[in-house]
Amino acid sequence: VYSFVRDEILFGYSENFVISGSQVLALGYGNCLTKTTLLMTLLRAIGVHCRMKASMVDKVLHRGLLGSFAYRLSPDALYHAWVNIFYNNKWIEIGGHIIDRPYLQKLQAKYPDYMGSFYGYGIAVLNFRNPPIRWEEGDTFIQSKARTGTLGIYNDPDSFFRAYPEAKERTQALRYQKILRPALNKSIARLRES
């Protein structure tokens, strides 16, 4: 389930972040909020106890994906979510599902000699060559190094969006719909095709 959501649901930005797991599945792409919704839906369908953790992340994640004008329009802090699962009698943090492996491999090919920490193009990790995204019965991460503040733990995405309605409202703003979303998705597609 984890590998499916990570690699078969491509990294990208939908028109709205408040969509069901089935809608994310039908779209075939998503970001941290929407892919987390799908992952939780599938995990619960197979009986895995899970919850949603949320925080803010620095817009450094958008570096490289947005030109200078669009980057200035991007909010300084973005809403972020990942999954917390109860596995082997402990809570494990699952955040490596957000960026699909083919996209990550293209990014690594773009910077073949780069080692160490990397911030931009949708990721924020300490080890660019080998980020902790593989399921090995422990924590996975791909954007965690950009976190700027915690927003809590939620039983489901609906509870999160009720607590933070601005996370949905931002997707309804003209700057997201007409500038940020198209620019992000175009840059992601360009990298995939490179």
Side-chain angles (χ1 to χ4, degrees):
V1 168
Y2 169 80
S3 297
F4 171 79
V5 173
R6 183 191 65 205
D7 296 334
E8 300 302 320
I9 307 301
L10 305 180
F11 173 54
Y13 290 83
S14 58
E15 289 182 18
N16 193 334
F17 294 159
V18 186
I19 58 177
S20 68
S22 62
Q23 289 172 303
V24 180
L25 190 60
L27 282 174
Y29 65 90
N31 71 341
C32 63
L33 292 164
T34 55
K35 286 183 81 169
T36 291
T37 296
L38 175 59
L39 183 56
M40 289 181 70
T41 300
L42 296 176
L43 288 171
R44 287 180 173 172
I46 60 170
V48 176
H49 186 59
C50 61
R51 57 193 186 184
M52 177 181 187
K53 291 188 83 170
S55 72
M56 300 302 287
V57 288
D58 191 279
K59 74 176 182 178
V60 70
L61 290 176
H62 287 169
R63 189 182 330 156
L65 293 176
L66 295 175
S68 60
F69 173 71
Y71 190 77
R72 284 194 305 272
L73 285 180
S74 182
D76 290 337
L78 312 168
Y79 288 94
H80 178 60
W82 65 99
V83 180
N84 209 209
I85 67 168
F86 195 70
Y87 184 79
N88 285 340
N89 296 315
K90 64 180 179 179
W91 286 102
I92 297 174
E93 297 201 1
I94 305 295
H97 65 290
I98 300 162
I99 303 293
D100 56 279
R101 189 179 294 273
Y103 174 84
L104 177 61
Q105 289 169 339
K106 288 286 189 170
L107 183 59
Q108 290 169 329
K110 181 178 176 75
Y111 297 99
D113 299 322
Y114 197 87
M115 305 293 279
S117 61
F118 191 93
Y119 297 83
Y121 290 89
I123 71 171
V125 294
L126 293 180
N127 186 342
F128 180 58
R129 289 286 147 213
N130 191 25
I133 61 166
R134 191 171 161 190
W135 172 247
E136 295 177 331
E137 300 187 3
D139 298 339
T140 69
F141 299 106
I142 195 71
Q143 297 178 334
S144 63
K145 296 307 173 186
R147 290 186 201 156
T148 60
T150 183
L151 298 178
I153 299 172
Y154 300 87
N155 288 328
D156 53 67
D158 290 340
S159 299
F160 166 75
F161 287 112
R162 277 194 301 275
Y164 292 94
E166 186 185 58
K168 176 185 177 181
E169 291 163 6
R170 282 189 181 181
T171 64
Q172 297 166 339
L174 283 177
R175 74 174 168 175
Y176 176 78
Q177 292 293 332
K178 301 296 184 188
I179 299 170
L180 297 176
R181 179 179 179 264
L184 288 164
N185 285 341
K186 184 176 181 181
S187 292
I188 291 166
R190 190 181 308 121
L191 181 64
R192 286 187 191 285
E193 294 163 5
S194 65

